[in-house]
Amino acid sequence: MKFLYLLFAVFLLIFQATSGSADPLFADTIECRRQGNFCRVGTCPPTFTATGSCHGGLLKCCSK
């Protein structure tokens, strides 16, 4: 049973998220975030307007 601790530690190292792994892969998402906006599924919040798309057109780029 002592090997379970070692196995758990190995799994943590294998499945650990690396820095930069959550960077957007789509050019429209990068452009949206570069302008200080954010991406959202569905409609933008009441004080924001949709100015473009994100994730290849699946999400909306919301800005003030």
Side-chain angles (χ1 to χ4, degrees):
M1 292 305 254
K2 290 184 179 184
F3 69 92
L4 288 178
Y5 294 108
L6 179 62
L7 185 63
F8 182 68
V10 170
F11 279 131
L12 281 177
L13 289 174
I14 291 173
F15 296 114
Q16 176 182 350
T18 60
S19 65
S21 64
D23 288 342
L25 299 176
F26 299 98
D28 56 354
T29 304
I30 294 170
E31 185 61 31
C32 178
R33 292 189 179 167
R34 185 178 295 143
Q35 295 173 356
N37 303 331
F38 62 95
C39 299
R40 183 174 173 128
V41 177
T43 60
C44 296
T47 59
F48 295 88
T49 58
T51 58
S53 64
C54 296
H55 288 43
L58 297 175
L59 304 177
K60 293 182 179 172
C61 180
C62 299
S63 67
K64 271 228 178 228

